[in-house]
């Protein structure tokens, strides 16, 4: 999620369990702890372009790292409050715990159960930015501090969990819709990825695999009423074994391709075969197109060189207008 959501979700959790006399302390501690897990963005390497990608939302977001991270956050907060470390630890623990959970609700994927489970967990029920989720939490939490009423922060948490539950229900409805469409075409879905698009839980990106091909579509699922599909593209699945067939198994490039495949939950494809760009199919500039947001450029002639990490974002007014039409249920 975006930093604002993480900060105030953590603050709401800490404030909700505080006493009136400690409400401001809990609020500040909650904001710091709610953001702290994203300090992993400083894990970078000048020689390994994928290191930052690999370690973002990694061990710092794990359930099992929470007790240790809370110790550090509480120690930092203790520099300012200078008393009652146990309470600071409690607020830090509760707020820090919200971060990995909230990130796992997005489609990006989070190492929530590391080190016991090393695949990225993604519930796919909310976008990384959603004002309808974030703004009420901010308003209620700030109001709780102004009015010195922790109970209001509890309402913020109730709203947050209700919204996340609604997002998951929306995902199940879209999944059922796509599954029925595939059955009508006599297709057996082998893998399916559903992502809510930016800022809403109504318009979704659907990517599913059938017999070596990926089918990319947009689905508009209103809260009430029937779903609508905006047909997209069909693209061959990238054969990973074929790609790595003549490459040294211990080379840097082979390792980078496998790392990017793992990060992308297996949804990778050739974005442009002439430039040798492998892209993440989970995301697109539009929910039904093949213009990915990021990828890696490989050079098979130099297997001992790292792949280049590329940002492929290509937004323009035309795409924004198309997105708006889909969101408002208009014809393209």
């Amino acid at each position: 999620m975006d930093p604002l959501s993480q900060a105030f979700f953590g603050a709401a959790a800490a404030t909700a369990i505080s006493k009136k006399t400690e409400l401001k302390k809990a609020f500040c501690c909650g904001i710091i702890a709610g953001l702290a897990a994203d300090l992993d963005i400083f894990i970078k390497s000048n020689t390994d372009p994928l290191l930052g990608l690999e370690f973002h939302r990694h061990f710092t977001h794990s359930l099992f790292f929470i007790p240790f991270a809370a110790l550090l956050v509480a120690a930092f907060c203790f520099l300012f409050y200078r008393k009652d470390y146990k309470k600071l630890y409690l607020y830090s623990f509760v707020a820090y715990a919200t971060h990995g959970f909230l990130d796992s609700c997005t489609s990006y994927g989070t190492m929530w159960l590391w080190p016991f489970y090393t695949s990225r967990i993604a519930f796919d029920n909310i976008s990384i930015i959603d004002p309808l989720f974030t703004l009420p939490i901010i308003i209620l939490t700030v109001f709780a501090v102004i009015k010195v009423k922790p109970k209001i922060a509890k309402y913020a948490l109730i709203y947050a969990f209700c919204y996340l539950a609604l997002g998951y229900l929306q995902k199940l409805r879209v999944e059922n819709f796509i599954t029925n469409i595939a059955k009508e075409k006599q297709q057996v879905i082998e893998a399916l990825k559903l992502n809510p698009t930016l800022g809403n839980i109504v318009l979704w990106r659907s990517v599913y695999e059938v017999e070596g091909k990926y089918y990319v579509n947009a689905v508009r699922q209103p809260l009430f009423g029937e779903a609508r599909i905006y047909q997209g593209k069909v693209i061959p699945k990238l054969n990973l074994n074929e790609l790595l067939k003549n490459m040294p198994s211990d080379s840097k490039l082979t390792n980078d391709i496998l790392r990017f495949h793992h990060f992308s939950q297996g949804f990778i494809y050739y974005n442009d075969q002439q430039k040798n760009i492998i892209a993440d199919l989970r995301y697109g500039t539009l929910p039904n197109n093949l213009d990915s947001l990021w990828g890696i450029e490989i050079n098979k002639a130099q297997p001992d060189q790292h792949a280049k990490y590329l940002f492929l974002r290509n937004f323009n007014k035309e795409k924004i207008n198309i997105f708006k039409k889909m969101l408002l249920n208009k014809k393209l």
Side-chain angles (χ1 to χ4, degrees):
M1 293 293 291
D2 64 278
L4 202 59
S5 300
Q6 294 287 12
F8 279 90
F9 193 42
T15 304
I17 63 168
S18 70
K19 295 180 180 179
K20 289 184 177 181
T21 54
E22 297 184 336
L23 197 144
K24 290 183 180 179
K25 181 196 300 183
F27 175 79
C28 294
C29 192
I31 284 183
I32 295 169
L35 290 170
D38 276 343
L39 289 174
D40 61 8
I41 62 172
F42 294 106
I43 302 176
K44 295 180 180 180
S45 170
N46 293 328
T47 58
D48 183 356
L50 295 186
L51 186 69
L53 186 71
E54 183 177 13
F55 276 94
H56 182 44
R57 296 197 182 185
H58 200 280
F59 69 93
T60 62
H61 289 60
S62 170
L63 277 172
F64 305 100
F65 189 70
I66 295 171
F68 309 103
L71 284 171
L72 297 175
V73 174
F76 178 79
C77 293
F78 189 74
L79 296 174
F80 300 94
Y81 290 103
R82 292 292 180 180
K83 62 179 180 179
D84 207 348
Y85 180 82
K86 289 183 179 179
K87 282 288 182 67
L88 292 174
Y89 180 80
L90 176 62
Y91 300 144
S92 299
F93 186 97
V94 170
Y96 195 97
T98 65
H99 192 115
F101 165 72
L102 190 54
D103 272 349
S104 293
C105 289
T106 69
S107 300
Y108 190 88
T110 305
M111 301 290 246
W112 202 30
L113 299 179
W114 180 90
F116 303 102
Y117 183 72
T118 56
S119 293
R120 289 179 174 264
I121 293 174
F123 299 124
D124 305 318
N125 58 322
I126 192 171
S127 171
I128 57 171
I129 298 176
D130 192 335
L132 290 178
F133 173 80
T134 306
L135 291 178
I137 295 174
I138 293 175
I139 293 169
L140 288 170
T141 306
V142 171
F143 199 58
V145 175
I146 293 173
K147 293 294 184 180
V148 196
K149 291 184 178 180
K151 182 185 290 187
I152 300 177
K154 294 178 182 178
Y155 297 150
L157 293 178
I158 291 171
Y159 173 82
F161 284 110
C162 286
Y163 192 89
L164 293 172
L166 179 61
Y168 195 76
L169 175 61
Q170 285 288 90
K171 176 193 172 182
L172 294 178
R173 296 175 71 193
V174 174
E175 182 177 345
N176 183 64
F177 177 74
I178 286 293
T179 302
N180 288 336
I181 286 179
K183 285 181 179 179
E184 291 175 2
K185 296 179 179 179
Q186 297 183 332
Q187 296 174 331
V188 178
I189 295 178
E190 300 168 39
L192 173 64
K193 183 68 175 177
L194 299 172
N195 297 349
T197 57
L198 197 65
N200 73 99
I201 53 174
V202 172
L203 185 61
W204 294 69
R205 178 177 175 88
S206 165
V207 181
Y208 67 86
E209 176 191 344
V210 174
E211 297 180 350
K213 294 180 180 179
Y214 285 125
Y215 293 77
V216 182
N217 300 292
V219 177
R220 185 185 186 277
Q221 176 62 67
L223 298 182
F224 304 98
E226 298 296 323
R228 175 177 183 172
I229 189 168
Y230 290 93
Q231 295 288 347
K233 304 290 185 179
V234 180
I235 190 171
K237 179 182 179 181
L238 193 156
N239 189 320
L240 191 63
N241 292 328
E242 188 66 26
L243 175 65
L244 301 177
K245 187 176 181 181
N246 297 317
M247 294 174 58
S249 60
D250 59 348
S251 70
K252 290 181 179 179
L253 187 58
T254 296
N255 186 48
D256 283 352
I257 293 172
L258 292 174
R259 290 160 74 194
F260 190 72
H261 178 267
H262 180 72
F263 164 76
S264 304
Q265 300 171 300
F267 289 91
I268 58 175
Y269 71 109
Y270 269 125
N271 180 271
D272 186 328
Q273 297 207 30
Q274 291 182 341
K275 295 182 179 179
N276 291 320
I277 296 176
I278 299 173
D280 186 345
L281 191 59
R282 296 176 299 168
Y283 306 98
T285 53
L286 285 173
N288 64 343
N289 72 9
L290 300 178
D291 297 335
S292 182
L293 302 184
W294 48 67
I296 57 174
E297 184 178 359
I298 65 172
N299 185 351
K300 297 177 71 173
Q302 296 180 319
D304 291 326
Q305 298 294 319
H306 279 293
K308 294 180 181 179
Y309 181 55
L310 304 174
F311 287 100
L312 305 172
R313 299 183 182 97
N314 182 23
F315 296 100
N316 54 43
K317 288 185 179 181
E318 181 182 359
K319 289 179 180 177
I320 293 173
N321 288 333
I322 292 174
F323 178 82
K324 288 179 180 178
K325 286 181 179 179
M326 290 181 181
L327 190 59
L328 297 173
N329 199 26
K330 296 181 178 180
K331 291 183 180 181
L332 299 183

